[in-house]
Amino acid sequence: MAKKQATVFVCQECGTESPKYLGKCPSCGRWNTFIEEKIIEEVDPQDTRGRVSLANEVSKAQPIKDVKIEQTGRVKTRLDEFNRVLGGGVVPGSLVLIGGDPGIGKSTLLLQVSAELNQVGGVVLYVTGEESPGQIKMRAQRLTISDTDFYIYGETDLSLIVDTIEKIKPDYIIIDSIQTMFHPNKDSVAGSVSQVRESTALLMQLAKTNNVSIFIVGHVTKEGNIAGPRMLEHMVDTVLYFEGERHQSYRILRAVKNRYGSTNEIGVFEMRENGLREVLNPSELFLEERLDGASGSAVVSAMEGTRPILVEVQSLVTPTAFGNAKRTASGLDYNRVSLIMAVLEQRVGLLLQNYDAYLKIAGGVRLNEPAIDLALAVSIASSYRDTETDAKDCFVGEIGLTGEIRRVSNIETRVNEAAKLGFKRIFIPKNNMEGWRAPEGIEIIGCVTLQEVINQVL
Ligand code: TYD
Ligand code: MG
């Protein structure tokens, strides 16, 4: 077999390759991101590496009515929040990437998941390249899972890891983290784009041919990308992000890509002394610290995947001290805030142009769906007029450019959640009034324009 030594320059941000050094990446536009990486390529005309057959037999085209659906049988852990985000459990043979800031709790989560999967009878191999097996054991003791018998393996060389996998034949593999893994065929440093890509490709092949489920931990860079290159996300079946504020105790697991389920599902956890605990009713948690009778506060019944959650939108509108008005939005899309403020000015007549506005979703959740518009508008107007909103009111609705309130999805689920948490009134789009049954104990108010809602509540 002929061996060819080659070097390429690879953009460390987006993975673009070039035969010569470039100052600026033509693909992602960043400067000074190219690094020379060596590749030792085996040139072999019959090379079939990278071609993975999903079925054991030779594949062929067939009429859709003859295609058999294989029951993959998801494996459920006792962590319901985790199952939900995956789309109902762990799919055999799937490759899942879990990204998040360092220290957010990825290793803790996967250690608990390992114990759970071990509990339901699978062989689990936890490969750690970040901490020593001893450190992992100490952590496992804190989590009170140290007497389970899943395997811990402190190694970063993928060829040795593959050998071990062949010996142990695990059903589940955890790779913590992909940035520390090293593929001996590649002559570049661990964590570089080609290493990460090559290692992931190998793991993908392992997962599909041996029907093992593999979880890969990936650190997020300052820009918010997993492992720098975006292409890692395209290679795996499922991408989960583990997020939260460092200084607060709860964490949100979010699916951003899922071949086996819906995206936008979230799982909520709380970081305790002895590990992560599930939060089964996040609405209560998010509304816990809400003040009664405050101005600039409005609650929305928002959907996160299939689940409704109630969250508080807070605004503070104050006169601008000098120059241009300042607007900030945390947990919200800035453009959405600008749009709502423009509608409030033009259609409701609030003179906001000389006011600074600070908006925040309490509790550090991120919301990005149109149905939050109405709560946003009410919260801004309430702060502007310094008039408190009723703490038992809840708002749902998209706002159009003429100030009309537009229909939203899943209205029944949203209203039920508000009723369950003791809200007395919910303002919803008039067009959403028909075709479903309202729960007891909550008054439902159908609205046509923003003006009319503001007049009624403030
Ligand atoms: P870790 O799982 O190591 O994060 P990652 O793998 O994402 O880098 O989480 C580390 C943090 O979690 C650390 O700051 C300590 C905290 N922690 C707890 O509060 N309770 C616990 O039981 C454990 C294991 C960790
Ligand atoms: Mg870790």
Side-chain angles (χ1 to χ4, degrees), residues 213-271:
S213 310
I214 305 185
F215 295 90
I216 300 177
V217 172
H219 292 299
V220 170
T221 62
K222 284 195 292 297
E223 284 79 23
N225 293 351
I226 288 179
R230 260 270 125 86
M231 86 259 162
L232 202 55
E233 297 190 3
H234 303 306
M235 296 171 73
V236 300
D237 297 314
T238 302
V239 180
L240 308 179
Y241 273 100
F242 205 35
E243 7 173 270
E245 306 254 336
R246 258 270 177 108
H247 309 288
Q248 284 169 344
S249 63
Y250 48 84
R251 303 278 182 269
I252 293 174
L253 187 65
R254 184 188 294 277
V256 293
K257 164 182 173 178
N258 197 349
R259 281 198 188 133
Y260 306 110
S262 127
T263 53
N264 295 327
E265 283 292 359
I266 65 166
V268 185
F269 296 88
E270 191 186 348
M271 182 64 95

CSV table of all heavy atoms in Angstrom, one decimal, residues 213-271:
chain,number,residue,atom,x,y,z
A,213,SER,N,-24.5,2.7,21.4
A,213,SER,CA,-24.8,4.2,21.5
A,213,SER,C,-23.6,4.9,22.1
A,213,SER,O,-23.1,4.4,23.1
A,213,SER,CB,-26.0,4.4,22.4
A,213,SER,OG,-27.0,3.5,22.1
A,214,ILE,N,-23.2,6.0,21.4
A,214,ILE,CA,-22.0,6.7,21.9
A,214,ILE,C,-22.4,8.1,22.2
A,214,ILE,O,-23.1,8.8,21.5
A,214,ILE,CB,-20.9,6.7,20.8
A,214,ILE,CG1,-20.6,5.2,20.4
A,214,ILE,CG2,-19.7,7.4,21.3
A,214,ILE,CD1,-19.5,5.1,19.5
A,215,PHE,N,-22.0,8.5,23.4
A,215,PHE,CA,-22.2,9.9,23.8
A,215,PHE,C,-20.8,10.6,23.8
A,215,PHE,O,-19.9,10.1,24.4
A,215,PHE,CB,-22.8,10.0,25.2
A,215,PHE,CG,-24.1,9.5,25.3
A,215,PHE,CD1,-24.3,8.1,25.6
A,215,PHE,CD2,-25.2,10.3,25.1
A,215,PHE,CE1,-25.6,7.6,25.7
A,215,PHE,CE2,-26.5,9.8,25.2
A,215,PHE,CZ,-26.7,8.4,25.5
A,216,ILE,N,-20.7,11.7,23.1
A,216,ILE,CA,-19.5,12.5,23.0
A,216,ILE,C,-19.6,13.8,23.7
A,216,ILE,O,-20.6,14.5,23.5
A,216,ILE,CB,-19.1,12.8,21.5
A,216,ILE,CG1,-19.0,11.5,20.7
A,216,ILE,CG2,-17.9,13.6,21.4
A,216,ILE,CD1,-18.7,11.7,19.3
A,217,VAL,N,-18.7,14.1,24.6
A,217,VAL,CA,-18.7,15.4,25.2
A,217,VAL,C,-17.9,16.4,24.4
A,217,VAL,O,-16.8,16.0,23.9
A,217,VAL,CB,-18.1,15.3,26.7
A,217,VAL,CG1,-17.9,16.7,27.3
A,217,VAL,CG2,-19.0,14.5,27.5
A,218,GLY,N,-18.4,17.6,24.2
A,218,GLY,CA,-17.6,18.6,23.4
A,218,GLY,C,-17.7,19.9,24.1
A,218,GLY,O,-18.7,20.3,24.5
A,219,HIS,N,-16.5,20.5,24.3
A,219,HIS,CA,-16.5,21.8,24.9
A,219,HIS,C,-16.9,22.9,23.9
A,219,HIS,O,-16.7,22.7,22.7
A,219,HIS,CB,-15.1,22.2,25.5
A,219,HIS,CG,-14.8,21.3,26.7
A,219,HIS,ND1,-15.6,21.3,27.8
A,219,HIS,CD2,-13.8,20.4,26.9
A,219,HIS,CE1,-15.0,20.5,28.7
A,219,HIS,NE2,-14.0,19.9,28.1
A,220,VAL,N,-17.5,23.9,24.4
A,220,VAL,CA,-17.9,25.0,23.5
A,220,VAL,C,-16.8,26.1,23.6
A,220,VAL,O,-16.3,26.4,24.6
A,220,VAL,CB,-19.3,25.5,24.0
A,220,VAL,CG1,-19.6,26.8,23.3
A,220,VAL,CG2,-20.3,24.5,23.8
A,221,THR,N,-16.6,26.7,22.4
A,221,THR,CA,-15.6,27.7,22.3
A,221,THR,C,-16.2,29.1,22.7
A,221,THR,O,-17.4,29.1,22.9
A,221,THR,CB,-15.0,27.9,20.9
A,221,THR,OG1,-16.1,28.2,20.1
A,221,THR,CG2,-14.4,26.6,20.5
A,222,LYS,N,-15.4,30.1,22.8
A,222,LYS,CA,-16.0,31.4,23.2
A,222,LYS,C,-17.1,31.9,22.3
A,222,LYS,O,-18.0,32.5,22.7
A,222,LYS,CB,-14.8,32.5,23.2
A,222,LYS,CG,-13.9,32.4,24.3
A,222,LYS,CD,-13.1,33.6,24.4
A,222,LYS,CE,-12.1,33.8,23.3
A,222,LYS,NZ,-11.0,32.7,23.2
A,223,GLU,N,-17.0,31.5,21.0
A,223,GLU,CA,-18.0,31.9,20.0
A,223,GLU,C,-19.3,31.1,20.1
A,223,GLU,O,-20.3,31.4,19.5
A,223,GLU,CB,-17.5,31.8,18.6
A,223,GLU,CG,-16.5,32.9,18.2
A,223,GLU,CD,-15.1,32.6,18.7
A,223,GLU,OE1,-14.8,31.5,19.0
A,223,GLU,OE2,-14.4,33.6,18.9
A,224,GLY,N,-19.2,30.1,21.0
A,224,GLY,CA,-20.4,29.3,21.2
A,224,GLY,C,-20.6,28.1,20.2
A,224,GLY,O,-21.6,27.4,20.2
A,225,ASN,N,-19.5,27.7,19.5
A,225,ASN,CA,-19.5,26.6,18.7
A,225,ASN,C,-19.0,25.4,19.4
A,225,ASN,O,-18.0,25.5,20.2
A,225,ASN,CB,-18.7,26.8,17.4
A,225,ASN,CG,-19.3,27.8,16.5
A,225,ASN,OD1,-20.4,28.3,16.8
A,225,ASN,ND2,-18.6,28.2,15.5
A,226,ILE,N,-19.5,24.2,19.1
A,226,ILE,CA,-18.9,23.0,19.7
A,226,ILE,C,-17.6,22.7,19.0
A,226,ILE,O,-17.5,22.6,17.8
A,226,ILE,CB,-19.9,21.8,19.5
A,226,ILE,CG1,-21.0,22.0,20.5
A,226,ILE,CG2,-19.1,20.5,19.8
A,226,ILE,CD1,-22.0,20.9,20.5
A,227,ALA,N,-16.5,22.6,19.8
A,227,ALA,CA,-15.2,22.2,19.3
A,227,ALA,C,-14.7,23.1,18.2
A,227,ALA,O,-13.8,22.7,17.4
A,227,ALA,CB,-15.2,20.8,18.7
A,228,GLY,N,-15.2,24.3,18.1
A,228,GLY,CA,-14.8,25.2,17.0
A,228,GLY,C,-15.5,24.9,15.8
A,228,GLY,O,-16.4,25.7,15.4
A,229,PRO,N,-15.2,23.8,15.1
A,229,PRO,CA,-15.9,23.6,13.8
A,229,PRO,C,-17.4,23.2,13.9
A,229,PRO,O,-17.7,22.4,14.8
A,229,PRO,CB,-15.1,22.5,13.2
A,229,PRO,CG,-14.5,21.8,14.4
A,229,PRO,CD,-14.3,22.8,15.4
A,230,ARG,N,-18.1,23.8,13.1
A,230,ARG,CA,-19.6,23.5,13.1
A,230,ARG,C,-19.8,22.1,12.5
A,230,ARG,O,-20.8,21.5,12.8
A,230,ARG,CB,-20.3,24.5,12.2
A,230,ARG,CG,-21.0,25.6,13.0
A,230,ARG,CD,-22.4,25.2,13.3
A,230,ARG,NE,-22.7,25.3,14.7
A,230,ARG,CZ,-23.1,26.4,15.3
A,230,ARG,NH1,-23.2,27.5,14.7
A,230,ARG,NH2,-23.4,26.3,16.6
A,231,MET,N,-18.9,21.6,11.7
A,231,MET,CA,-19.2,20.4,10.9
A,231,MET,C,-19.4,19.2,11.8
A,231,MET,O,-20.0,18.2,11.5
A,231,MET,CB,-18.1,20.1,9.9
A,231,MET,CG,-16.9,19.3,10.4
A,231,MET,SD,-15.5,20.4,10.7
A,231,MET,CE,-14.6,19.3,11.8
A,232,LEU,N,-18.9,19.3,13.1
A,232,LEU,CA,-19.1,18.2,14.0
A,232,LEU,C,-20.6,17.9,14.2
A,232,LEU,O,-21.0,16.8,14.3
A,232,LEU,CB,-18.4,18.6,15.3
A,232,LEU,CG,-18.1,17.4,16.3
A,232,LEU,CD1,-17.2,16.4,15.6
A,232,LEU,CD2,-17.4,18.0,17.5
A,233,GLU,N,-21.3,19.0,14.2
A,233,GLU,CA,-22.8,18.9,14.4
A,233,GLU,C,-23.4,18.2,13.3
A,233,GLU,O,-24.4,17.5,13.5
A,233,GLU,CB,-23.4,20.3,14.6
A,233,GLU,CG,-22.9,21.0,15.8
A,233,GLU,CD,-23.7,22.3,16.1
A,233,GLU,OE1,-24.7,22.5,15.4
A,233,GLU,OE2,-23.3,23.0,17.0
A,234,HIS,N,-22.9,18.3,12.1
A,234,HIS,CA,-23.5,17.6,10.9
A,234,HIS,C,-23.2,16.1,10.9
A,234,HIS,O,-23.8,15.4,10.3
A,234,HIS,CB,-23.0,18.2,9.6
A,234,HIS,CG,-23.2,19.7,9.5
A,234,HIS,ND1,-24.5,20.2,9.7
A,234,HIS,CD2,-22.4,20.8,9.4
A,234,HIS,CE1,-24.5,21.5,9.6
A,234,HIS,NE2,-23.2,21.9,9.4
A,235,MET,N,-22.1,15.7,11.6
A,235,MET,CA,-21.7,14.3,11.6
A,235,MET,C,-22.4,13.4,12.5
A,235,MET,O,-22.5,12.2,12.3
A,235,MET,CB,-20.2,14.2,11.9
A,235,MET,CG,-19.3,14.9,10.9
A,235,MET,SD,-17.6,15.0,11.4
A,235,MET,CE,-17.1,13.3,11.2
A,236,VAL,N,-23.0,14.0,13.6
A,236,VAL,CA,-23.6,13.1,14.6
A,236,VAL,C,-25.2,13.1,14.4
A,236,VAL,O,-25.7,13.8,13.6
A,236,VAL,CB,-23.3,13.6,16.0
A,236,VAL,CG1,-21.8,13.6,16.2
A,236,VAL,CG2,-23.9,15.0,16.2
A,237,ASP,N,-25.8,12.2,15.1
A,237,ASP,CA,-27.3,12.0,15.0
A,237,ASP,C,-28.0,13.1,15.8
A,237,ASP,O,-29.1,13.6,15.4
A,237,ASP,CB,-27.7,10.7,15.5
A,237,ASP,CG,-27.1,9.5,14.7
A,237,ASP,OD1,-27.2,9.7,13.4
A,237,ASP,OD2,-26.6,8.6,15.2
A,238,THR,N,-27.5,13.3,17.0
A,238,THR,CA,-28.2,14.2,17.9
A,238,THR,C,-27.2,15.2,18.5
A,238,THR,O,-26.1,14.8,18.9
A,238,THR,CB,-28.8,13.4,19.0
A,238,THR,OG1,-29.7,12.4,18.4
A,238,THR,CG2,-29.6,14.2,20.0
A,239,VAL,N,-27.6,16.4,18.7
A,239,VAL,CA,-26.8,17.4,19.4
A,239,VAL,C,-27.5,18.0,20.5
A,239,VAL,O,-28.7,18.5,20.4
A,239,VAL,CB,-26.4,18.6,18.4
A,239,VAL,CG1,-25.5,19.6,19.2
A,239,VAL,CG2,-25.6,18.1,17.2
A,240,LEU,N,-27.0,17.8,21.7
A,240,LEU,CA,-27.6,18.4,22.9
A,240,LEU,C,-26.7,19.5,23.5
A,240,LEU,O,-25.5,19.3,23.5
A,240,LEU,CB,-27.8,17.3,24.0
A,240,LEU,CG,-28.5,16.0,23.6
A,240,LEU,CD1,-28.6,15.1,24.8
A,240,LEU,CD2,-29.9,16.3,23.1
A,241,TYR,N,-27.3,20.6,24.0
A,241,TYR,CA,-26.5,21.6,24.7
A,241,TYR,C,-26.9,21.5,26.1
A,241,TYR,O,-28.1,21.5,26.4
A,241,TYR,CB,-26.8,23.0,24.1
A,241,TYR,CG,-25.9,23.3,22.9
A,241,TYR,CD1,-26.4,23.2,21.6
A,241,TYR,CD2,-24.6,23.8,23.1
A,241,TYR,CE1,-25.6,23.5,20.6
A,241,TYR,CE2,-23.8,24.1,22.1
A,241,TYR,CZ,-24.3,24.0,20.8
A,241,TYR,OH,-23.5,24.4,19.7
A,242,PHE,N,-25.9,21.6,27.0
A,242,PHE,CA,-26.2,21.7,28.4
A,242,PHE,C,-25.8,23.1,28.8
A,242,PHE,O,-24.7,23.6,28.7
A,242,PHE,CB,-25.3,20.7,29.1
A,242,PHE,CG,-25.8,20.2,30.5
A,242,PHE,CD1,-27.2,20.1,30.7
A,242,PHE,CD2,-25.0,20.0,31.5
A,242,PHE,CE1,-27.7,19.7,31.9
A,242,PHE,CE2,-25.5,19.5,32.8
A,242,PHE,CZ,-26.9,19.4,32.9
A,243,GLU,N,-26.8,23.9,29.3
A,243,GLU,CA,-26.6,25.3,29.6
A,243,GLU,C,-27.1,25.7,30.9
A,243,GLU,O,-27.9,25.0,31.5
A,243,GLU,CB,-27.2,26.2,28.5
A,243,GLU,CG,-28.0,25.5,27.5
A,243,GLU,CD,-28.7,26.4,26.5
A,243,GLU,OE1,-29.8,26.8,26.8
A,243,GLU,OE2,-28.1,26.6,25.4
A,244,GLY,N,-26.8,26.9,31.3
A,244,GLY,CA,-27.2,27.4,32.5
A,244,GLY,C,-26.3,28.5,33.0
A,244,GLY,O,-25.2,28.6,32.4
A,245,GLU,N,-26.7,29.2,34.0
A,245,GLU,CA,-25.8,30.2,34.5
A,245,GLU,C,-24.9,29.6,35.5
A,245,GLU,O,-25.4,28.9,36.4
A,245,GLU,CB,-26.6,31.4,35.2
A,245,GLU,CG,-27.6,32.0,34.3
A,245,GLU,CD,-27.2,33.3,33.8
A,245,GLU,OE1,-26.4,34.0,34.5
A,245,GLU,OE2,-27.7,33.8,32.7
A,246,ARG,N,-23.6,29.8,35.5
A,246,ARG,CA,-22.7,29.2,36.4
A,246,ARG,C,-23.1,29.4,37.8
A,246,ARG,O,-22.9,28.6,38.7
A,246,ARG,CB,-21.3,29.9,36.2
A,246,ARG,CG,-20.4,29.0,35.4
A,246,ARG,CD,-19.6,28.2,36.4
A,246,ARG,NE,-18.7,27.3,35.7
A,246,ARG,CZ,-17.4,27.4,35.7
A,246,ARG,NH1,-16.8,28.4,36.2
A,246,ARG,NH2,-16.7,26.5,35.1
A,247,HIS,N,-23.6,30.6,38.1
A,247,HIS,CA,-23.9,31.0,39.5
A,247,HIS,C,-25.2,30.6,40.0
A,247,HIS,O,-25.6,30.8,41.1
A,247,HIS,CB,-23.7,32.5,39.7
A,247,HIS,CG,-22.4,33.0,39.1
A,247,HIS,ND1,-21.2,32.7,39.7
A,247,HIS,CD2,-22.0,33.6,38.0
A,247,HIS,CE1,-20.2,33.1,39.0
A,247,HIS,NE2,-20.7,33.7,37.9
A,248,GLN,N,-26.0,30.1,39.1
A,248,GLN,CA,-27.3,29.6,39.5
A,248,GLN,C,-27.3,28.1,39.5
A,248,GLN,O,-26.5,27.5,38.8
A,248,GLN,CB,-28.4,30.1,38.6
A,248,GLN,CG,-28.7,31.6,39.0
A,248,GLN,CD,-29.6,32.3,38.0
A,248,GLN,OE1,-29.7,31.8,36.9
A,248,GLN,NE2,-30.1,33.4,38.4
A,249,SER,N,-28.2,27.4,40.2
A,249,SER,CA,-28.1,26.0,40.3
A,249,SER,C,-28.8,25.2,39.3
A,249,SER,O,-28.5,24.0,39.1
A,249,SER,CB,-28.5,25.6,41.7
A,249,SER,OG,-29.9,25.9,41.8
A,250,TYR,N,-29.7,25.8,38.5
A,250,TYR,CA,-30.3,24.9,37.6
A,250,TYR,C,-29.7,24.9,36.2
A,250,TYR,O,-29.0,25.9,35.8
A,250,TYR,CB,-31.8,25.1,37.5
A,250,TYR,CG,-32.2,26.5,37.3
A,250,TYR,CD1,-32.3,27.1,36.1
A,250,TYR,CD2,-32.6,27.3,38.4
A,250,TYR,CE1,-32.6,28.4,36.0
A,250,TYR,CE2,-32.9,28.6,38.3
A,250,TYR,CZ,-32.9,29.1,37.1
A,250,TYR,OH,-33.2,30.4,36.9
A,251,ARG,N,-29.9,23.8,35.5
A,251,ARG,CA,-29.2,23.6,34.2
A,251,ARG,C,-30.3,23.1,33.2
A,251,ARG,O,-31.2,22.4,33.6
A,251,ARG,CB,-28.2,22.4,34.3
A,251,ARG,CG,-27.1,22.7,35.3
A,251,ARG,CD,-26.0,23.5,34.8
A,251,ARG,NE,-25.0,23.7,35.7
A,251,ARG,CZ,-24.9,24.8,36.6
A,251,ARG,NH1,-25.9,25.6,36.6
A,251,ARG,NH2,-23.9,24.9,37.4
A,252,ILE,N,-30.2,23.5,32.0
A,252,ILE,CA,-31.1,23.1,31.0
A,252,ILE,C,-30.4,22.3,29.9
A,252,ILE,O,-29.4,22.7,29.3
A,252,ILE,CB,-31.8,24.4,30.3
A,252,ILE,CG1,-32.7,25.0,31.4
A,252,ILE,CG2,-32.7,24.0,29.1
A,252,ILE,CD1,-33.3,26.3,31.0
A,253,LEU,N,-31.0,21.1,29.6
A,253,LEU,CA,-30.5,20.3,28.5
A,253,LEU,C,-31.4,20.5,27.3
A,253,LEU,O,-32.6,20.3,27.4
A,253,LEU,CB,-30.5,18.8,29.0
A,253,LEU,CG,-29.8,17.8,28.0
A,253,LEU,CD1,-28.3,18.1,27.9
A,253,LEU,CD2,-30.0,16.4,28.5
A,254,ARG,N,-30.8,20.9,26.2
A,254,ARG,CA,-31.6,21.3,25.1
A,254,ARG,C,-31.2,20.5,23.8
A,254,ARG,O,-30.0,20.4,23.6
A,254,ARG,CB,-31.4,22.8,24.9
A,254,ARG,CG,-32.2,23.5,23.8
A,254,ARG,CD,-31.7,24.9,23.6
A,254,ARG,NE,-31.8,25.7,24.8
A,254,ARG,CZ,-33.0,26.4,25.1
A,254,ARG,NH1,-34.0,26.3,24.2
A,254,ARG,NH2,-33.1,27.1,26.1
A,255,ALA,N,-32.1,20.0,23.1
A,255,ALA,CA,-31.8,19.3,21.8
A,255,ALA,C,-31.8,20.4,20.7
A,255,ALA,O,-32.8,21.1,20.5
A,255,ALA,CB,-32.8,18.3,21.5
A,256,VAL,N,-30.7,20.5,20.0
A,256,VAL,CA,-30.7,21.4,18.9
A,256,VAL,C,-30.7,20.7,17.5
A,256,VAL,O,-31.0,21.3,16.5
A,256,VAL,CB,-29.5,22.4,18.9
A,256,VAL,CG1,-29.6,23.3,20.1
A,256,VAL,CG2,-28.2,21.7,18.9
A,257,LYS,N,-30.4,19.4,17.6
A,257,LYS,CA,-30.6,18.6,16.4
A,257,LYS,C,-30.9,17.2,16.9
A,257,LYS,O,-30.4,16.7,17.9
A,257,LYS,CB,-29.3,18.5,15.6
A,257,LYS,CG,-29.2,17.4,14.6
A,257,LYS,CD,-27.9,17.4,13.8
A,257,LYS,CE,-27.9,16.2,12.9
A,257,LYS,NZ,-26.6,16.1,12.2
A,258,ASN,N,-31.9,16.5,16.2
A,258,ASN,CA,-32.2,15.2,16.7
A,258,ASN,C,-32.8,14.4,15.5
A,258,ASN,O,-33.9,14.7,15.1
A,258,ASN,CB,-33.2,15.2,17.9
A,258,ASN,CG,-33.2,13.9,18.6
A,258,ASN,OD1,-32.7,12.9,18.1
A,258,ASN,ND2,-33.9,13.8,19.7
A,259,ARG,N,-32.1,13.4,15.1
A,259,ARG,CA,-32.6,12.5,14.0
A,259,ARG,C,-33.7,11.6,14.5
A,259,ARG,O,-34.4,11.0,13.7
A,259,ARG,CB,-31.5,11.7,13.4
A,259,ARG,CG,-30.6,12.4,12.5
A,259,ARG,CD,-29.8,11.5,11.6
A,259,ARG,NE,-28.9,12.4,10.8
A,259,ARG,CZ,-27.6,12.2,10.7
A,259,ARG,NH1,-27.1,11.1,11.1
A,259,ARG,NH2,-26.9,13.0,10.0
A,260,TYR,N,-33.8,11.5,15.8
A,260,TYR,CA,-34.7,10.5,16.4
A,260,TYR,C,-35.8,11.2,17.2
A,260,TYR,O,-36.4,10.5,18.1
A,260,TYR,CB,-34.0,9.5,17.2
A,260,TYR,CG,-32.9,8.8,16.5
A,260,TYR,CD1,-31.6,9.0,16.8
A,260,TYR,CD2,-33.2,7.9,15.4
A,260,TYR,CE1,-30.6,8.3,16.1
A,260,TYR,CE2,-32.2,7.2,14.8
A,260,TYR,CZ,-30.9,7.5,15.1
A,260,TYR,OH,-29.9,6.8,14.4
A,261,GLY,N,-36.0,12.4,17.1
A,261,GLY,CA,-37.0,13.1,17.9
A,261,GLY,C,-37.1,14.5,17.6
A,261,GLY,O,-36.5,15.0,16.7
A,262,SER,N,-38.0,15.2,18.4
A,262,SER,CA,-38.2,16.6,18.1
A,262,SER,C,-37.0,17.5,18.7
A,262,SER,O,-36.4,17.1,19.7
A,262,SER,CB,-39.5,17.1,18.7
A,262,SER,OG,-39.3,18.2,19.6
A,263,THR,N,-36.7,18.5,18.0
A,263,THR,CA,-35.7,19.4,18.6
A,263,THR,C,-36.5,20.4,19.5
A,263,THR,O,-37.7,20.4,19.6
A,263,THR,CB,-34.9,20.2,17.6
A,263,THR,OG1,-35.9,20.9,16.7
A,263,THR,CG2,-34.0,19.4,16.8
A,264,ASN,N,-35.8,21.3,20.2
A,264,ASN,CA,-36.4,22.2,21.1
A,264,ASN,C,-37.0,21.6,22.3
A,264,ASN,O,-37.7,22.3,23.0
A,264,ASN,CB,-37.5,23.1,20.4
A,264,ASN,CG,-36.9,23.9,19.3
A,264,ASN,OD1,-35.7,24.4,19.5
A,264,ASN,ND2,-37.6,24.1,18.2
A,265,GLU,N,-36.8,20.3,22.5
A,265,GLU,CA,-37.2,19.8,23.8
A,265,GLU,C,-36.2,20.2,24.8
A,265,GLU,O,-35.0,20.4,24.5
A,265,GLU,CB,-37.2,18.2,23.8
A,265,GLU,CG,-38.3,17.6,23.0
A,265,GLU,CD,-39.6,17.8,23.7
A,265,GLU,OE1,-39.7,18.4,24.8
A,265,GLU,OE2,-40.7,17.3,23.2
A,266,ILE,N,-36.7,20.5,26.1
A,266,ILE,CA,-35.7,20.8,27.1
A,266,ILE,C,-35.9,19.8,28.3
A,266,ILE,O,-37.0,19.3,28.5
A,266,ILE,CB,-35.7,22.2,27.6
A,266,ILE,CG1,-37.1,22.6,28.3
A,266,ILE,CG2,-35.5,23.2,26.5
A,266,ILE,CD1,-37.0,23.9,29.1
A,267,GLY,N,-34.8,19.6,29.0
A,267,GLY,CA,-34.9,18.9,30.3
A,267,GLY,C,-34.3,19.8,31.3
A,267,GLY,O,-33.3,20.5,31.0
A,268,VAL,N,-34.9,19.9,32.5
A,268,VAL,CA,-34.4,20.9,33.5
A,268,VAL,C,-33.8,20.1,34.7
A,268,VAL,O,-34.5,19.2,35.1
A,268,VAL,CB,-35.5,21.8,33.9
A,268,VAL,CG1,-35.0,22.9,34.9
A,268,VAL,CG2,-36.2,22.5,32.7
A,269,PHE,N,-32.7,20.5,35.1
A,269,PHE,CA,-32.0,19.8,36.2
A,269,PHE,C,-31.5,20.9,37.2
A,269,PHE,O,-31.4,22.0,36.9
A,269,PHE,CB,-30.7,19.1,35.7
A,269,PHE,CG,-31.0,17.9,34.8
A,269,PHE,CD1,-31.1,18.2,33.4
A,269,PHE,CD2,-31.2,16.7,35.3
A,269,PHE,CE1,-31.4,17.1,32.5
A,269,PHE,CE2,-31.5,15.6,34.4
A,269,PHE,CZ,-31.5,15.8,33.0
A,270,GLU,N,-31.3,20.4,38.4
A,270,GLU,CA,-30.8,21.3,39.4
A,270,GLU,C,-29.5,20.7,39.9
A,270,GLU,O,-29.4,19.5,40.2
A,270,GLU,CB,-31.8,21.4,40.6
A,270,GLU,CG,-31.4,22.5,41.5
A,270,GLU,CD,-32.3,22.6,42.7
A,270,GLU,OE1,-33.3,21.9,42.7
A,270,GLU,OE2,-31.9,23.3,43.7
A,271,MET,N,-28.4,21.5,40.0
A,271,MET,CA,-27.1,20.9,40.5
A,271,MET,C,-27.1,21.0,42.0
A,271,MET,O,-27.2,22.1,42.5
A,271,MET,CB,-26.0,21.8,39.8
A,271,MET,CG,-24.6,21.3,40.2
A,271,MET,SD,-24.2,19.7,39.7
A,271,MET,CE,-23.3,20.0,38.1
